[in-house]
Amino acid sequence: MSLLIDSLITICNVSTIGLCGFMKVPQIIAIIKARSTKGLSLTSLMLELTSYTIMLSYNIYSGYSFSSYFEYPLMVTQDVVMLVVFLLFTGRLSPTLLVPATAAVYFAYSVASGSLPHALITTLVGLCTPISASSKVMALFTIIRIKNSATVSVSSLSISAYTCFTRLFTIYVESADPALLMNFGMSLMLNFCLITAAIIYKPKKKDD
């Protein structure tokens, strides 16, 4: 690869990892500040967390460069925090949730370690695109249905759109993995739709 391409990849990796380090922070702060989850979808959050977890495990399993997917552990961590906050403010946080949480961790380990058959792992990765798309479609429908995006963070969505774009570039250059390219391409398009809906349905501030 040329020096220019190498430099662009480095810039994309550094900026993506840096932004993903606090991508969900504006959204988490918005929920805590409003003490409400209005405009947000629990189903969407669960699907997104599932997609991120599978993609993180797949990248580890495939032995890709850590810098090309370092944002995934950051996003998984933030999604877990956001899930806890969501459940807390909706009165659904319970110790019984430790059982499915443990099962999810074991499943992720099985994928990352290659304990599962290769065919199953590739199938799971192939499902990440519809899972990720479903997550964003659910989020979009929730905003449109209630016509309110009060606690939806446009900042978080914008960071997500940027990181999808940078990953499309780095993956295309480094591995051209079709499953990853399709996943990020679909996510980028739906992020733009979410940003548009969030802006349109953001409640107007009333004048005093």
Side-chain angles (χ1 to χ4, degrees):
M1 287 186 284
S2 68
L3 180 60
L4 175 60
I5 296 298
D6 284 340
S7 299
L8 287 174
I9 290 175
T10 299
I11 292 172
C12 287
N13 284 337
V14 172
S15 61
T16 296
I17 293 170
L19 288 172
C20 282
F22 62 90
M23 183 173 75
K24 293 290 183 177
V25 173
Q27 183 62 79
I28 294 171
I29 291 175
I31 296 174
I32 295 175
K33 186 176 180 180
R35 301 186 69 81
S36 168
T37 59
K38 194 171 186 178
L40 299 174
S41 166
L42 177 59
T43 302
S44 171
L45 178 57
M46 292 293 293
L47 288 171
E48 180 182 74
L49 180 57
T50 300
S51 176
Y52 284 163
T53 301
I54 292 175
M55 294 304 290
L56 170 60
S57 303
Y58 172 70
N59 275 279
I60 295 173
Y61 166 75
S62 298
Y64 290 143
S65 169
F66 188 54
S67 63
S68 70
Y69 66 90
F70 182 58
E71 69 270 18
Y72 275 114
L74 299 176
M75 292 190 295
V76 167
T77 301
Q78 290 173 84
D79 260 5
V80 170
V81 173
M82 186 172 161
L83 178 60
V84 171
V85 172
F86 190 108
L87 294 174
L88 177 64
F89 283 110
T90 54
R92 305 181 198 179
L93 194 61
S94 166
T96 57
L97 293 176
L98 286 174
V99 176
T102 301
V105 171
Y106 179 75
F107 169 74
Y109 170 77
S110 297
V111 174
S113 63
S115 299
L116 299 178
H118 176 73
L120 177 58
I121 294 176
T122 54
T123 299
L124 288 171
V125 175
L127 290 174
C128 272
T129 297
I131 290 174
S132 178
S134 298
S135 165
K136 296 186 185 302
V137 169
M138 286 295 299
L140 184 61
F141 281 174
T142 298
I143 294 173
I144 295 174
R145 178 173 56 83
I146 68 174
K147 294 179 169 55
N148 191 314
S149 61
T151 57
V152 178
S153 172
V154 175
S155 297
S156 290
L157 292 173
S158 298
I159 293 174
S160 180
Y162 171 79
T163 57
C164 285
F165 176 77
T166 57
R167 279 312 176 211
L168 277 173
F169 171 71
T170 58
I171 290 170
Y172 177 76
V173 173
E174 294 183 329
S175 67
D177 189 309
L180 297 181
L181 289 173
M182 185 179 294
N183 182 61
F184 282 109
M186 182 66 71
S187 293
L188 177 62
M189 181 184 71
L190 290 172
N191 269 318
F192 281 132
C193 293
L194 276 169
I195 291 170
T196 301
I199 292 173
I200 292 174
Y201 291 110
K202 184 70 69 176
K204 301 294 188 294
K205 293 183 179 179
K206 296 181 180 179
D207 297 327
D208 294 331

